[in-house]
Amino acid sequence: MTAPLPYSTIREIFTRFRDDCAEPEGELEHLNAFTLVVAVALSAQATDKGVNRATRDLFAIADTPQKMLALGEEGVIGYIKTIGLYRNKAKNVIKLSRILVEDYGGEVPSSRAALESLPGVGRKTANVVLNMWFKHPAQAVDTHIFRVGNRTGIAPGKDVVAVERAIEDRVPVEFALHAHHWLILHGRYVCKARKPDCAHCLINDLCAFEEKTI
C-alpha cells in the first residue's frame, strides 16, 4: 500500500483539481432526487453512459415513485433491459418506489440510514445522493476512487470504507464537497486502471505512485 501523502501535498493536489474544474459534476443524468436514486442504483456493474441511454426515456414518463409504481416491474424492464442485471434492478426500483410512497410520502429521505434501507441502495449509492442532491460532504468510493486513493497516497486503505474514512480525515474541509467527483473523474479519464495517463496528469509531480508511465 502506498504511504499516505503529507497534508500540505493533499491540499496542493485539490487546489489544482479546483483550479482546473471548480464545479465538477456527476455524469449520471437525473431530474430530481428520486431519479438520482434510481440512476445510481441502476449504475451498479454498468457504465454511466449505458444507464443514461436507458433512463432518458424512462424518466420522461416516470420521474416520481408514484409514476414508477404505475409503470410496474415489467414496464421498467422494457426501458432498462440493456443494463446488466436488469431484472433484479427493476424489482428493486419498484420496491424502493413503494417504500418511498408508503413510508416517506413520496419524498427521498436525507439520512444515510434511511437511504441504505431502500432495496438496491448501498452505502455508495446513499453517499452519492447525499452529496449530489443534499450537498453533504459524503464520499462515495467506487473502483476509480479506491484506485486513485491508493495509487496516489491521497487516501490509502484496504477497503472502500477505509478509503472513505481516509478521504474524510485527510482532505481539507474546503474541498470535501467536491472531493469524490474530482477523484472519480481523475480515475475515469486520467489515472485509468490499465494505462494511467501520467503524461497529462495535473498531479504527477505530487503523486506517490511508483509505476508512473513517465
Side-chain angles (χ1 to χ4, degrees), residues 2-214:
T2 305
L5 292 173
Y7 181 82
S8 59
T9 303
I10 293 174
R11 173 174 287 282
E12 174 61 23
I13 284 173
F14 281 93
T15 298
R16 293 184 189 182
F17 283 154
R18 182 180 61 189
D19 289 345
D20 181 63
C21 180
E23 297 289 334
E25 297 181 352
E27 297 182 323
L28 282 173
E29 297 173 7
H30 59 283
L31 305 173
N32 51 34
F34 171 68
T35 54
L36 178 59
V37 170
V38 173
V40 182
L42 293 176
S43 70
Q45 300 181 45
T47 66
D48 287 359
K49 289 182 179 179
V51 171
N52 289 338
R53 283 194 297 269
T55 58
R56 282 176 195 138
D57 290 340
L58 173 63
F59 293 160
I61 65 164
D63 60 352
T64 68
Q66 294 87 343
K67 292 177 183 178
M68 197 68 75
L69 284 173
L71 186 60
E73 189 175 322
E74 290 302 318
V76 173
I77 286 174
Y79 288 95
I80 69 167
K81 58 187 177 183
T82 56
I83 301 174
L85 306 174
Y86 66 89
R87 289 193 180 278
N88 190 56
K89 289 178 179 179
K91 185 178 297 183
N92 284 334
V93 167
I94 293 300
K95 286 182 178 179
L96 72 84
S97 296
R98 182 170 291 109
I99 292 171
L100 289 176
V101 170
E102 294 178 353
D103 296 347
Y104 298 99
E107 299 295 322
V108 174
S110 60
S111 84
R112 180 184 284 112
L115 286 167
E116 286 191 62
S117 73
L118 299 174
V121 176
R123 187 178 184 87
K124 186 189 80 171
T125 299
N127 281 345
V128 170
V129 175
L130 289 172
N131 182 280
M132 290 181 64
W133 192 259
F134 295 106
K135 305 304 179 185
H136 295 180
Q139 307 302 327
V141 178
D142 68 352
T143 55
H144 296 299
I145 295 178
F146 183 79
R147 179 176 65 254
V148 172
N150 277 289
R151 264 186 185 171
T152 61
I154 293 172
K158 294 181 179 180
D159 54 43
V160 293
V161 175
V163 171
E164 178 184 330
R165 294 283 183 257
I167 294 172
E168 291 174 343
D169 291 344
R170 310 188 74 242
V171 173
V173 65
E174 67 196 86
F175 303 113
L177 180 61
H178 294 314
H180 101 269
H181 276 132
W182 281 316
L183 292 172
I184 194 172
L185 293 171
H186 190 66
R188 186 173 289 166
Y189 297 110
V190 181
C191 195
K192 295 173 282 191
R194 295 186 180 180
K195 294 183 178 180
D197 190 8
C198 300
H200 297 96
C201 175
L202 288 172
I203 61 168
N204 59 36
D205 59 319
L206 304 173
C207 169
F209 186 40
E210 294 183 354
E211 300 175 29
K212 292 178 185 176
T213 57
I214 57 171

